[in-house]
Amino acid sequence: MVVGTTDKIVTLDPAGAYDNGSFTPMNQIYPYLMNSVPGDAGLKPDVAEKCEFTQPVVYTCTLKPGLKFANGHPLTAASVKHSYDRIVKINDPNGPISLLTQLDHTDAVNETTVAFTLKNPNDQTFPQVLATNAGPIVDEQVFPADKLLDDNEIVKAKPFAGPFTIETYKKNQLVDYKANPDYAGVLGKPRSENVIAKYYASAQSLKEDVQKNTVDVGFRSFTPTDIDSLRGSDKVTVYEGPGGELRYIVFNLNTMPGATPEQKLAVRKAIASSVDRDALSRNVYKGTYTPAYSSVPPGVPGSVESYKDVYGATPNKDAAAKFLADAGMPLPVEINLQYNMDHYGSSSDEEYAAVKSQLEGTGLFKVNLQQTEWVTYQKERTQDAYPVYQLGWFPDFPDADNYLTPFFAPNNFLQSHFDDKFIADLIVKETTEPDFAKRTDLLRQIQDVLARDHIPMLPLLSGKQIAVAAKNVEGVPETLDASFKFRYTVLSKH
């Protein structure tokens, strides 16, 4: 089974990656306490026997007995504690630390029992976190407690206890996976004994190999034109999964244009009043992405279109000009806008050319576009190198909070220097509110306040999951579910 992708791996170390390209191999090689069965986004114990709240602030998991990594080392509660402790200790800016904002500490109660003590009672999202980028259980005899481990060292040490092990590893070229006979989790025995992940520099090359059936499955990323073309092929099937992907612009609140916080906010409001999401959806993405008027995409329970309510559905040059004039902002506002093509797809080039044209068409902005290769981009964006820049989001779990806590809680993934106590307190309230109606009201309030008073990031578009497979491949629809995990275990050929 050959799977093709353009989505690059940043690292195989879970403490250092919070991106889709790295998460895909992690879903194959590492075990989780909780996971979702393909075709069902609901949570089930993976290598845990059970997980439950034993106190309002204590979530306890019991591991299956006799677990081990592929290298023979035992997998115990100490391994789980080590895995979570090192994410917190390393605190990598590109890591999943923002998913653990509600975790106070982790204890190995005995060999098979681990207890997570949370900062607030009745957390509605923490069980989901166990199945996310923060959830891979790693071997404490292999992974250092205080620093990331190199990919080649990881592969050499075989600290794997997921459904697959890695036999051969050439980073962002080829990864050769082999079924792990000792995996004892909920994903079950892989239907293909051997899976090869092949990495492509361009969507065009991936499309050509998928069309020729030299690649069995292509997943991330095809251009909208490629998808249209592939739908007409008699050799492949185009599959769509639930939406939830988000494309957006991030503002570095320290380095973006503006001499004062008031001027910076005026610039953000003017940009929010000037972008034309419908044009991006229609002209660039041919409807494969739809306009997003909140960081919580349409279709996710609790989503409201706050940006449409505040700034309108269509561009408003007069409103944009007034925001800037009222703040005394000199014109034109010069914006250095960074974007990326190898991670977010080659259509990013056209997308950001269109954003530049839209902003400059108002006469209020001068936009300098720059693009950088993804591995460098990931590092530089967290080091204040980019005043304004593109990011995308692939949800960790299907809940509105996953579009709020990672972006807007303290020490968030965006590293945008946004830190607001009122928003942070509201986020804590919504994550701990068991009443659905009350929680929905809190979610709406957060979205409205962010759009009206802050705009740390500007949502643009929301999209579906797309995979393309040869006609003799089975299992693709099963993994394109609302868990947003692409699992190789269900793929097979007949």
Side-chain angles (χ1 to χ4, degrees), residues 162-452:
F164 290 95
T165 61
I166 292 178
E167 295 296 297
T168 307
Y169 185 76
K170 296 177 182 175
K171 187 166 187 172
N172 293 325
Q173 296 178 52
L174 185 141
V175 184
D176 185 359
Y177 295 91
K178 185 178 180 184
N180 177 10
D182 295 323
Y183 171 64
V186 73
L187 298 181
K189 177 180 169 58
R191 296 175 193 171
S192 296
E193 179 71 19
N194 182 242
V195 177
I196 292 172
K198 190 174 178 184
Y199 290 80
Y200 287 81
S202 73
Q204 178 64 28
S205 300
L206 172 60
K207 179 211 169 191
E208 288 171 1
D209 278 6
V210 167
Q211 251 179 334
K212 290 186 291 189
N213 289 162
T214 54
V215 164
D216 299 304
V217 182
F219 180 66
R220 295 198 40 79
S221 290
F222 296 99
T223 69
T225 306
D226 289 343
I227 294 167
D228 270 357
S229 168
L230 290 165
R231 285 190 201 280
S233 170
D234 59 1
K235 288 189 170 184
V236 300
T237 303
V238 177
Y239 296 95
E240 289 187 0
E245 180 185 339
L246 192 70
R247 300 178 78 91
Y248 56 98
I249 292 172
V250 180
F251 300 98
N252 184 309
L253 302 192
N254 284 6
T255 62
M256 67 167 289
T260 65
E262 292 74 22
Q263 285 190 341
K264 292 177 191 292
L265 179 58
V267 171
R268 299 197 295 277
K269 288 183 173 183
I271 292 173
S273 302
S274 301
V275 293
D276 188 340
R277 295 170 176 83
D278 276 321
L280 296 176
S281 168
R282 186 177 60 253
N283 300 335
V284 179
Y285 289 104
K286 304 186 188 331
T288 55
Y289 286 84
T290 55
Y293 294 96
S294 170
S295 66
V296 183
V300 177
S303 171
V304 287
E305 295 189 314
S306 303
Y307 282 87
K308 183 186 283 187
D309 296 339
V310 177
Y311 304 102
T314 55
N316 187 332
K317 177 185 171 182
D318 292 340
K322 188 173 188 317
F323 285 130
L324 296 173
D326 288 352
M329 188 68 193
L331 300 180
V333 179
E334 187 163 345
I335 297 171
N336 293 321
L337 178 55
Q338 202 86 14
Y339 71 100
N340 169 270
M341 284 174 60
D342 62 318
H343 186 66
Y344 294 118
S346 57
S347 294
S348 294
D349 207 15
E350 193 179 344
E351 178 185 353
Y352 277 82
V355 170
K356 171 183 166 75
S357 177
Q358 290 172 8
L359 295 180
E360 291 188 340
T362 65
L364 304 171
F365 302 97
K366 182 181 185 309
V367 179
N368 305 311
L369 285 182
Q370 298 167 310
Q371 66 151 312
T372 309
E373 189 267 337
W374 177 245
V375 175
T376 304
Y377 192 94
Q378 267 284 69
K379 292 174 184 171
E380 290 187 344
R381 73 164 189 90
T382 63
Q383 296 168 359
D384 292 346
Y386 307 151
V388 185
Y389 61 96
Q390 172 199 28
L391 272 186
W393 186 250
F394 310 96
D396 304 293
F397 50 88
D399 186 282
D401 177 72
N402 194 235
Y403 298 89
L404 298 174
T405 291
F407 296 159
F408 311 118
N411 193 26
N412 57 66
F413 164 72
L414 299 184
Q415 299 287 303
S416 63
H417 303 288
F418 175 75
D419 190 350
D420 182 81
K421 186 177 187 307
F422 182 70
I423 292 291
D425 288 346
L426 282 178
I427 287 174
V428 170
K429 285 181 183 176
E430 63 87 0
T431 57
T432 57
E433 176 53 69
D435 183 279
F436 177 78
K438 290 179 181 176
R439 184 168 184 242
T440 300
D441 285 342
L442 288 165
L443 291 168
R444 289 173 176 168
Q445 186 182 354
I446 292 167
Q447 292 167 80
D448 286 344
V449 173
L450 284 166
R452 186 183 66 238

Side-chain angles (χ1 to χ4, degrees), residues 75-245:
L75 193 168
T76 66
S79 311
V80 179
K81 174 176 167 56
H82 178 78
S83 301
Y84 284 83
D85 284 354
R86 68 188 296 268
I87 290 174
V88 174
K89 184 177 182 62
I90 293 171
N91 193 21
D92 190 280
N94 285 311
I97 183 67
S98 60
L99 285 165
L100 300 179
T101 55
Q102 301 301 329
L103 177 63
D104 188 79
H105 62 273
T106 308
D107 294 304
V109 179
N110 55 44
E111 192 167 281
T112 56
T113 307
V114 61
F116 300 96
T117 300
L118 308 179
K119 294 175 183 175
N120 299 287
N122 305 313
D123 189 312
Q124 302 300 297
T125 62
F126 189 75
Q128 302 266 12
V129 169
L130 302 181
T132 67
N133 293 70
I137 303 167
V138 301
D139 185 350
E140 72 273 32
Q141 296 186 51
V142 171
F143 287 83
D146 57 354
K147 64 181 180 181
L148 299 181
L149 188 61
D150 175 75
D151 282 5
N152 290 323
E153 292 297 313
I154 292 172
V155 173
K156 184 179 174 185
K158 294 204 174 292
F160 309 129
F164 290 95
T165 61
I166 292 178
E167 295 296 297
T168 307
Y169 185 76
K170 296 177 182 175
K171 187 166 187 172
N172 293 325
Q173 296 178 52
L174 185 141
V175 184
D176 185 359
Y177 295 91
K178 185 178 180 184
N180 177 10
D182 295 323
Y183 171 64
V186 73
L187 298 181
K189 177 180 169 58
R191 296 175 193 171
S192 296
E193 179 71 19
N194 182 242
V195 177
I196 292 172
K198 190 174 178 184
Y199 290 80
Y200 287 81
S202 73
Q204 178 64 28
S205 300
L206 172 60
K207 179 211 169 191
E208 288 171 1
D209 278 6
V210 167
Q211 251 179 334
K212 290 186 291 189
N213 289 162
T214 54
V215 164
D216 299 304
V217 182
F219 180 66
R220 295 198 40 79
S221 290
F222 296 99
T223 69
T225 306
D226 289 343
I227 294 167
D228 270 357
S229 168
L230 290 165
R231 285 190 201 280
S233 170
D234 59 1
K235 288 189 170 184
V236 300
T237 303
V238 177
Y239 296 95
E240 289 187 0
E245 180 185 339

Side-chain angles (χ1 to χ4, degrees), residues 462-481:
S462 176
K464 297 177 179 179
Q465 303 173 80
I466 302 281
V468 183
K471 294 289 186 181
N472 66 335
V473 172
E474 296 178 342
V476 175
E478 284 179 70
T479 193
L480 292 181
D481 59 34

